[in-house]
């Protein structure tokens, strides 16, 4: 009842604001409604380790509504709410019998204005923040509380600087676990701050280049809280630190790190050549680093991606590929897998994050398991995009091959020698692990029909087939990050083909 009252108050506030807005304030309302329904088979590729039965039928819904309060061309406020993403019948979100959903979220809430008599644009508050990439960002693409400043130097050069704070635990409560006090006072190590500088360079009709640099400080208490499950954020921990399957190990996670604040940084460039349009070429090159006083807990790596595309009247042909560094098999020298903060990697629509439908981990991201990065792989993608022979109906066909860049030696069980450190060096349990001896094929055949100007229907079909080399996965000196692994029964090197058939509707208003 309390949550319903809060929702009613929010609705009253928004409607009241629209009705009583000043005469010189314009209120714009826009949004999107997404619905998806589909079937998946073997989306865990045959979970023989835990022998979990699948429920392959999925239905989901998400609604986003945005209000813009525009005083003039120099000042506006943005407020966006989101309902979902929720599965039909989900009692936790109250999408079950009788409804009364309790999952209204604040997605965006920020102020945007120009500094008087300048071209400096300032945005402050909860907003979308994205680093550009060929197939989405491998560094950061999400909503976050931030201060963003953008200044166009001229028609070619723009400078964008930001400070974002993904986390600030800032708790003065006595958090205890197993009778042990974890943190009793506020401190300077319970934040995650991220700073960035981007310089978009645009030569119209010729090229777009964005060099960028990001620097972050990650407090050791944030690391411990994420690993211990006391806050939501295993995505960040997995992407930055290679956290293993830690459960309720706050002290272990907190005390492992010698540094009070871990330093993270990325230097990269996104490039797109349009001079020879309809032929275009794009590439990314990025280096990332996570630093701790103890080398065994450091992480650094490279990521490359490129795509060449040719646009014709009835379709676009594209050929591209990527490479992300993988583990070298020695946990004493840290991790070599490319670190990520909050990526969104979209070369395909089933194995990775390129789906137009809802359902992370259901309709897409099977390989990254919702963590959004490449997981130490290289790959090639041939795509025929926006094939159209009938008005308002388009199709996209993708064929992808990818292989691991992780050494088979990274499966070696070094827990006896290195204790909990191995969880950090090779804790890849939340992703589908591919060594350099393993490979996968993926095929997507996706369709879009524009029913009306604001209403579109989608159909996505796909398959992902993984082939693992038997020897690395059956060697008894190796492990699958589970001390209770049943060597006699588990056949982790054997996998089943994953299949998808899904439909969706999208209404923009």
């Amino acid at each position: 009842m309390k949550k319903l009252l809060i929702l009613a108050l929010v609705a009253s506030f928004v409607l009241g604001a629209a009705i009583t807005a000043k005469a010189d304030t314009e209120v714009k309302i826009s949004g999107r409604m997404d619905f998806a329904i589909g079937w998946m088979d073997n989306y865990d590729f045959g979970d023989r380790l835990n022998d979990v039965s699948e429920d392959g039928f999925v239905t989901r819904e998400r609604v986003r509504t945005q209000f813009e309060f525009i005083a003039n061309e120099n000042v506006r406020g943005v407020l966006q709410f989101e309902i979902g993403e929720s599965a039909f019948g989900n009692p936790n979100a109250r999408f079950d019998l009788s409804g009364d959903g309790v999952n209204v979220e604040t997605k965006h809430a920020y102020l945007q204005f120009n500094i008087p008599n300048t071209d400096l644009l300032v945005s402050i508050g909860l907003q979308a923040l994205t680093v550009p990439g060929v197939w989405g960002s491998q560094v950061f693409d999400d909503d976050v509380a931030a201060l963003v400043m953008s200044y166009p130097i001229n028609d070619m050069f723009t400078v964008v600087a930001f400070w974002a704070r993904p986390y600030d635990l800032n708790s003065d409560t006595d958090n205890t676990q197993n009778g042990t006090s974890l943190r009793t006072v506020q401190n300077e190590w319970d934040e995650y701050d991220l700073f960035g500088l981007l310089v978009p360079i645009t030569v119209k009709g010729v090229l777009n280049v964005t060099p960028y640099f990001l620097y972050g400080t990650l407090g050791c208490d944030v690391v411990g809280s994420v690993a211990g499950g006391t806050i939501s954020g295993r995505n960040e921990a997995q992407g930055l630190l290679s956290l293993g399957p830690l459960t309720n190990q706050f002290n272990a996670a907190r005390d492992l790190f010698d540094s009070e604040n871990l330093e993270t940084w990325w230097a990269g460039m996104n490039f797109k050549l349009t001079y020879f349009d309809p032929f275009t070429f794009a590439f990314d090159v990025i280096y990332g680093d996570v630093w701790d006083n103890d080398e065994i807990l450091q992480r650094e790596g490279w990521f490359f991606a490129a795509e060449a595309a040719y646009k014709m009247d009835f379709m676009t042909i594209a050929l591209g590929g990527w490479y992300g560094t993988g583990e070298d098999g020695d946990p004493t020298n840290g991790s070599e897998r490319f670190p990520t903060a909050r990526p969104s990697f979209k070369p395909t629509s089933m194995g990775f994050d390129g789906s137009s439908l809802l359902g992370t981990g259901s309709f897409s991201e099977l390989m990254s398991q919702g963590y959004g990065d490449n997981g130490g792989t290289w790959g090639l993608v041939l795509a025929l995009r926006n094939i159209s022979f009938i008005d308002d109906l388009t199709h996209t066909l993708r064929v992808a091959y990818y292989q691991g860049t992780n050494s088979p030696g990274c499966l070696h069980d070094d827990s006896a020698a290195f204790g909990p450190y191995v969880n950090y060096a090779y804790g890849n349990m939340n992703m589908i692990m591919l060594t350099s001896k393993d490979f996968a094929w993926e095929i997507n055949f996706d369709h879009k029909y524009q029913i009306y100007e604001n209403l579109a229907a989608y159909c996505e079909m796909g398959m992902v087939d993984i082939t693992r080399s038997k020897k690395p996965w059956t060697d008894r000196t190796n492990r699958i990050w589970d001390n209770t692994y049943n060597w006699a029964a588990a056949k982790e090197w054997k996998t089943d083909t994953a299949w998808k058939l899904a439909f969706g509707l999208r209404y923009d208003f």
Side-chain angles (χ1 to χ4, degrees):
M1 180 60 71
K2 182 179 179 181
K3 292 182 178 180
L4 293 177
L5 290 174
I6 293 174
L7 178 59
L9 288 173
V10 170
S12 300
F13 166 76
V14 173
L15 293 175
I19 295 171
T20 62
K22 293 182 179 179
D24 59 350
T25 300
E26 179 184 2
V27 178
K28 286 186 176 180
I29 302 176
S30 59
R32 170 174 290 178
M33 304 181 74
D34 282 296
F35 302 88
I37 181 171
W39 294 264
M40 297 284 294
D41 187 34
N42 296 323
Y43 55 81
D44 56 3
F45 299 103
D47 193 354
R48 296 173 177 82
L49 185 62
N50 298 310
D51 194 25
V52 177
S53 60
E54 294 182 350
D55 183 0
F57 180 71
V58 181
T59 56
R60 295 182 182 273
E61 175 181 353
R62 183 179 67 199
V63 180
R64 291 174 175 170
T65 305
Q66 177 167 296
F67 302 86
E68 295 182 69
F69 305 94
I70 305 170
N72 51 57
E73 61 182 6
N74 294 310
V75 181
R76 71 172 185 141
V78 176
L79 185 62
Q80 185 179 115
F81 297 110
E82 177 176 291
I83 299 175
E85 164 185 339
S86 298
F88 286 14
N90 183 354
N92 294 324
R94 294 310 306 270
F95 263 58
D96 54 353
L97 186 63
S98 298
D100 299 330
V102 294
N103 57 342
V104 178
E105 306 166 357
T106 302
K107 184 170 178 61
H108 292 160
Y110 65 92
L111 172 66
Q112 189 174 77
F113 61 95
N114 283 100
I115 299 296
N117 303 316
T118 74
D119 293 324
L120 180 61
L121 181 64
V122 178
S123 300
I124 184 169
L126 183 60
Q127 58 193 293
L129 188 62
T130 303
V131 175
V134 173
W135 291 306
S137 178
Q138 268 294 88
V139 179
F140 195 94
D141 181 4
D142 210 334
D143 300 321
V144 66
L147 170 64
V148 182
M149 294 180 289
S150 175
Y151 184 79
I153 298 175
N154 52 40
D155 291 340
M156 290 179 54
F157 294 90
T158 301
V159 176
V160 179
F162 71 83
W163 162 62
R165 174 158 281 188
Y167 289 113
D168 182 2
L169 305 187
N170 202 30
S171 173
D172 59 359
T173 60
D174 184 7
N175 250 340
T176 59
Q177 183 175 302
N178 298 326
T180 302
S181 177
L182 304 178
R183 186 182 63 257
T184 58
V185 295
Q186 297 177 349
N187 64 68
E188 57 183 322
W189 312 314
D190 63 356
E191 298 95 11
Y192 176 21
D193 289 306
L194 189 63
F195 304 87
L197 179 65
L198 299 85
V199 185
I201 303 169
T202 303
V203 181
K204 292 184 179 179
V206 179
L207 58 80
N208 297 277
V209 182
T210 304
Y212 56 86
F213 180 80
L214 276 67
Y215 173 80
T217 59
L218 182 66
C220 56
D221 278 348
V222 178
V223 175
S225 293
V226 172
T230 57
I231 64 173
S232 173
R234 286 186 61 91
N235 299 62
E236 291 78 0
Q238 174 69 26
L240 290 171
L241 306 172
S242 299
L243 286 176
L246 300 180
T247 304
N248 297 324
Q249 293 187 18
F250 188 108
N251 286 328
R254 167 65 173 81
D255 295 336
L256 274 177
F257 294 92
D258 292 342
S259 308
E260 294 169 344
N261 285 294
L262 281 74
E263 297 183 19
T264 66
W265 63 273
W266 294 265
M269 181 176 68
N270 173 251
F271 174 92
K272 184 174 183 179
L273 179 68
T274 58
Y275 180 75
F276 300 102
D277 186 54
F279 172 82
T280 59
F281 176 72
F283 73 83
D284 291 327
V285 55
I286 320 170
Y287 175 80
D289 184 272
V290 179
W291 185 88
D292 182 71
N293 287 332
D294 191 343
E295 182 184 9
I296 199 173
L297 299 174
Q298 295 178 13
R299 179 170 177 175
E300 60 179 332
W302 289 87
F303 176 78
F304 306 93
E307 183 187 74
Y310 184 77
K311 185 177 182 181
M312 295 181 285
D313 291 338
F314 62 96
M315 74 172 177
T316 298
I317 301 177
L319 177 64
W322 76 87
Y323 179 89
T325 53
E327 306 293 357
D328 67 358
D330 179 5
T332 63
N333 64 358
S335 171
E336 292 74 34
R337 209 167 66 246
F338 178 75
T340 59
R342 181 57 76 91
S344 182
F345 190 46
K346 305 176 181 180
T348 66
S349 62
M350 187 175 175
F352 297 99
D353 196 22
S355 174
S356 298
L357 303 175
L358 303 175
T360 298
S362 297
F363 297 133
S364 65
E365 292 192 87
L366 267 66
M367 294 302 299
S368 60
Q369 295 292 288
Y371 289 88
D373 67 23
N374 73 88
T377 60
W378 70 268
L380 296 173
V381 182
L382 174 64
L384 306 180
R385 294 197 291 256
N386 299 319
I387 305 169
S388 180
F389 300 104
I390 301 174
D391 290 344
D392 300 322
L393 180 62
T394 58
H395 318 271
T396 294
L397 175 66
R398 300 183 189 90
V399 178
Y401 171 88
Y402 35 92
Q403 188 170 339
T405 57
N406 302 289
S407 167
C410 74
L411 299 177
H412 190 72
D413 186 357
D414 290 304
S415 59
F418 301 109
Y421 291 105
V422 74
N423 285 323
Y424 289 89
Y426 301 140
N428 212 358
M429 186 162 179
N430 291 295
M431 306 179 70
I432 300 300
M433 179 69 171
L434 294 181
T435 73
S436 58
K437 303 293 185 180
D438 310 323
F439 63 89
W441 286 95
E442 178 175 350
I443 299 175
N444 310 146
F445 193 29
D446 303 333
H447 317 269
K448 177 184 177 182
Y449 177 57
Q450 199 69 41
I451 303 173
Y452 296 107
E453 181 180 358
N454 296 335
L455 179 63
Y458 295 84
C459 174
E460 293 186 354
M461 297 179 284
M463 61 80 67
V464 180
D465 182 78
I466 296 177
T467 299
R468 279 187 169 137
S469 177
K470 181 178 180 179
K471 187 178 187 305
W473 292 91
T474 56
D475 189 338
R476 286 178 178 266
T477 63
N478 289 345
R479 63 183 294 204
I480 313 297
W481 307 288
D482 187 341
N483 292 329
T484 63
Y485 190 80
N486 186 340
W487 299 106
K491 304 281 187 185
E492 190 68 14
W493 63 278
K494 286 188 175 182
T495 58
D496 295 326
T497 303
W499 300 88
K500 173 179 77 172
L501 174 61
F503 304 89
L505 288 172
R506 173 169 295 170
Y507 172 55
D508 292 295
F509 58 90

